[in-house]
Amino acid sequence: DAKTTQPPSMDCAEGRAANLPCNHSTISGNEYVYWYRQIHSQGPQYIIHGLKNNETNEMASLIITEDRKSSTLILPHATLRDTAVYYCIVRVWGTSYGKLTFGQGTILTVHP
Amino acid sequence: SQTIHQWPATLVQPVGSPLSLECTVEGTSNPNLYWYRQAAGRGLQLLFYSVGIGQISSEVPQNLSASRPQDRQFILSSKKLLLSDSGFYLCAWSADRRNSPLHFGNGTRLTVT
């Protein structure tokens, strides 16, 4: 699976948009970009995923650059409950049947 | 809707004792099942995955084993726990489709003393 690079930490004011970047410059054509988050002492929560088109759901938006080498997760109106570790993962459906390989992620802290 | 259950939520076991953690999924059939471990201050590591009953693949050599006796049941076991087995154990499932996301349980925090 392609490796990803994320900033170790970010801050955001409550009510503002949180934009979390991710670089995946070695991504190949059949690899998807997934985002998860993990609140302390809980299991990771699936947020969104995409291949090459921008995606939006009730939690967030995912913007993937045209060359697919980077992406941004956008939380449109961050709340204190969005404080968590956010993981960007590139995943291919291979011999491990779509396993996810987690990196260190970005610690997002939302301030009042 | 689909749900995943893990138990117990926390567990304290002495070194050398056996371990059995259970995970069950409801609301789906023939899921892919996964066991991950998260050591303190570290990332998630895939331990085992299963694509069907009795089919187990191990990602890393270790003191643990996994079994899938039923379609929606996944068990993580050890005959003799080591101190290094302490960690946060997470079960996950996914549908057997190319872009299906993994969905995680709430985990079991294991402390080996």
Side-chain angles (χ1 to χ4, degrees):
Chain A
D1 294 353
K3 292 183 178 178
T4 61
T5 303
Q6 298 178 252
S9 63
M10 294 183 64
D11 291 334
C12 179
E14 189 177 19
R16 304 298 293 269
N19 297 283
L20 292 92
C22 179
N23 287 319
H24 32 78
S25 58
T26 60
I27 194 170
S28 59
N30 63 345
E31 290 180 316
Y32 287 78
V33 179
Y34 283 75
W35 283 84
Y36 280 76
R37 71 181 183 184
Q38 187 175 23
I39 297 170
H40 184 63
S41 296
Q42 297 182 21
Q45 178 188 23
Y46 165 74
I47 301 174
I48 199 167
H49 73 281
L51 183 61
K52 54 183 177 182
N53 298 319
N54 297 338
E55 302 287 345
T56 295
N57 63 21
E58 65 279 4
M59 291 183 66
S61 295
L62 173 60
I63 309 298
I64 302 174
T65 58
E66 191 169 346
D67 62 8
R68 302 209 323 121
K69 293 184 177 181
S70 65
S71 60
T72 301
L73 178 74
I74 301 173
L75 308 178
H77 306 286
T79 70
L80 298 179
R81 289 174 294 180
D82 292 323
T83 293
V85 181
Y86 286 77
Y87 297 98
C88 170
I89 302 163
V90 174
R91 178 196 191 196
V92 64
W93 197 269
T95 56
S96 292
Y97 289 86
K99 70 175 182 177
L100 295 175
T101 302
F102 286 78
Q104 295 304 307
T106 296
I107 300 171
L108 174 68
T109 303
V110 181
H111 298 286
Chain B
S1 64
Q2 301 88 2
T3 55
I4 181 168
H5 303 279
Q6 267 189 263
W7 64 92
T10 59
L11 190 60
V12 180
Q13 292 283 99
V15 168
S17 64
L19 173 74
S20 180
L21 302 180
E22 187 164 344
C23 170
T24 59
V25 181
E26 296 178 355
T28 187
S29 59
N30 196 32
N32 295 324
L33 297 173
Y34 310 80
W35 278 112
Y36 279 81
R37 177 172 62 195
Q38 188 172 33
R42 302 182 67 178
L44 283 82
Q45 180 186 36
L46 178 64
L47 302 176
F48 301 96
Y49 67 94
S50 171
V51 300
I53 296 174
Q55 300 179 62
I56 308 295
S57 296
S58 174
E59 285 291 299
V60 293
Q62 57 212 319
N63 184 43
L64 303 167
S65 62
S67 62
R68 184 171 177 175
Q70 300 181 46
D71 181 44
R72 290 169 289 177
Q73 184 184 29
F74 207 21
I75 298 172
L76 184 69
S77 304
S78 173
K79 293 182 179 178
K80 291 185 178 181
L81 284 170
L82 307 172
L83 287 174
S84 58
D85 292 324
S86 293
F88 191 40
Y89 288 83
L90 291 151
C91 182
W93 74 273
S94 70
D96 190 17
R97 293 191 304 271
R98 180 173 293 273
N99 62 346
S100 178
L102 272 67
H103 299 281
F104 288 82
N106 287 327
T108 294
R109 189 160 302 280
L110 172 66
T111 303
V112 182
T113 61

